[in-house]
Amino acid sequence: MSAYRGRFAPSPTGPLHFGSLVGALASWLDARAHRGAWLVRIEDLDGPRTVPGAADDILRTLAHFGMAPDEPPVWQSRRDAHYAAALAQLTAGGLVYPCGCTRKEIADSLRAAHERHTTLAYPGTCRDGLHGKRARTWRLRVPDGNAAIVTFDDRWQRTQTQNLATDVGDFVLKRADGQWAYQLAVVVDDADAGITHVVRGADLLDSTARQIYLQRCLGAPTPAYLHVPVVVDTHGEKLSKQTGATALERDDPLPALRAAAAHLGLAVEGDAPGIARDAFLLAATAAWARRFGPGTG
Ligand code: GLU
């Protein structure tokens, strides 16, 4: 296997909160347990959702928590040409087509399909042409039949299977607002950065089959995946800036690090009041390595 390269890929929509700290810590611990490199990618493609200054704030918080990236961070907003090249490659291969459907048109046809108890996926309306409509989005054609089934072994969640044709349908690579879709950007960025291991929240588990399929279309390697349980609030919703998660206390990282390690189910040996941050992180790395380190398969 090539040398371990992992990453944490926050969307800079606000300060780092406890939910994102869990993802950051898990990816950092996995990289350290494998004596690999840990990179940070700022996922600032979604212009309207990006909060000015949030990325720098996240990087500063990570540093206070003892997690500094091993290479300069990558910013998605500066990688337009790479996404365009990938789309061109897929288009040349006949795998992409323009779609003129509005969200409402898709919702209406999905509702009709739902009433017939058939697929909930994009119904492929524009597969054979725009039907006189204007191109709004660009979609990747997914295969039919057994070729649509993607199976992978998640290091935490075990075997995962998704049928892209019936669960998702032809999915968007370039959005109606001109933005690159998350699925395309993440695959291109992970491939360009030589990422061998993806460790992130389980809310992205159902994006993974799409990403693996895209990797195959682009001739990119598939990394190993590990999806950690997401942190939920008292209503069972994923903790996020939207659900009112509070920013982390930068000057006192240990309580949050301890809580994040506990969320990950780690028994950190030697943890005691007054333990230094880096001693805690070292002990947490050992605990992670016992569960997910090299040789634990
Ligand atoms: N930027 C995504 C998020 O914050 C994570 C993407 C990924 O790790 O693949 O949810």
Side-chain angles (χ1 to χ4, degrees):
M1 193 189 69
S2 48
Y4 183 111
R5 287 171 70 79
R7 74 346 179 247
F8 173 56
S11 303
T13 55
L16 196 74
H17 57 77
F18 182 66
S20 38
L21 175 69
V22 166
L25 180 65
S27 63
W28 187 89
L29 289 172
D30 200 49
R32 287 296 169 264
H34 287 84
R35 303 188 188 287
W38 184 71
L39 316 181
V40 172
R41 178 171 69 237
I42 304 296
E43 301 216 317
D44 58 345
L45 270 187
D46 196 335
R49 287 186 63 226
T50 295
V51 174
D56 288 330
D57 191 78
I58 289 170
L59 290 167
R60 214 169 313 126
T61 304
L62 288 171
H64 274 82
F65 278 71
M67 298 181 276
D70 295 315
E71 293 175 13
V74 166
W75 298 68
Q76 284 191 328
S77 57
R78 300 174 193 167
R79 293 183 39 79
D80 197 70
H82 299 271
Y83 310 135
L87 188 72
Q89 181 188 335
L90 296 166
T91 305
L95 294 171
V96 170
Y97 64 88
C99 171
C101 298
T102 62
R103 272 173 204 263
K104 173 157 187 335
E105 286 166 343
I106 297 169
D108 288 349
S109 60
L110 290 185
R111 206 167 305 121
H114 191 53
E115 277 155 19
R116 293 197 307 271
H117 300 285
T118 54
T119 173
L120 280 175
Y122 172 69
T125 319
C126 295
R127 261 194 165 191
D128 308 313
L130 281 163
H131 306 283
K133 292 190 276 193
R134 161 182 82 79
R136 295 171 54 83
T137 60
W138 295 84
R139 288 184 185 272
L140 184 76
R141 206 179 280 278
V142 302
D144 300 315
N146 284 346
I149 299 171
V150 175
T151 299
F152 63 98
D153 190 23
D154 189 86
R155 293 168 59 212
W156 185 307
Q157 315 280 344
R158 309 322 319 184
T159 305
Q160 306 292 313
T161 299
Q162 190 176 56
N163 184 318
L164 289 176
T166 55
D167 290 354
V168 182
D170 300 339
F171 56 95
V172 172
L173 300 182
K174 192 170 188 188
R175 301 179 350 190
D177 61 3
Q179 304 273 5
W180 300 105
Y182 157 71
Q183 309 293 357
L184 179 72
V186 108
V187 166
V188 171
D189 292 342
D190 283 341
D192 286 355
I195 298 301
T196 59
H197 292 70
V198 171
V199 176
R200 58 186 178 188
D203 53 317
L204 292 167
L205 201 52
D206 84 336
S207 285
T208 307
R210 267 171 279 182
Q211 293 171 17
I212 291 172
Y213 183 66
L214 251 178
Q215 288 152 5
R216 292 176 187 162
C217 292
L218 286 165
T222 291
Y225 286 96
L226 186 157
H227 287 85
V228 299
V230 295
V231 181
V232 294
D233 63 18
T234 45
H235 307 292
E237 305 252 346
K238 181 196 164 199
L239 201 64
S240 70
K241 291 126 212 172
Q242 289 74 29
T243 57
T246 48
L248 295 163
E249 191 58 65
R250 215 179 261 162
D251 296 328
D252 187 20
L254 259 178
L257 282 174
R258 207 171 259 141
H263 177 82
L264 293 168
L266 299 177
V268 181
E269 280 173 19
D271 182 20
I275 190 172
R277 180 198 70 186
D278 290 346
F280 179 84
L281 286 173
L282 205 61
T285 304
W288 181 277
R290 285 193 288 278
R291 206 158 129 209
F292 294 114
T296 58

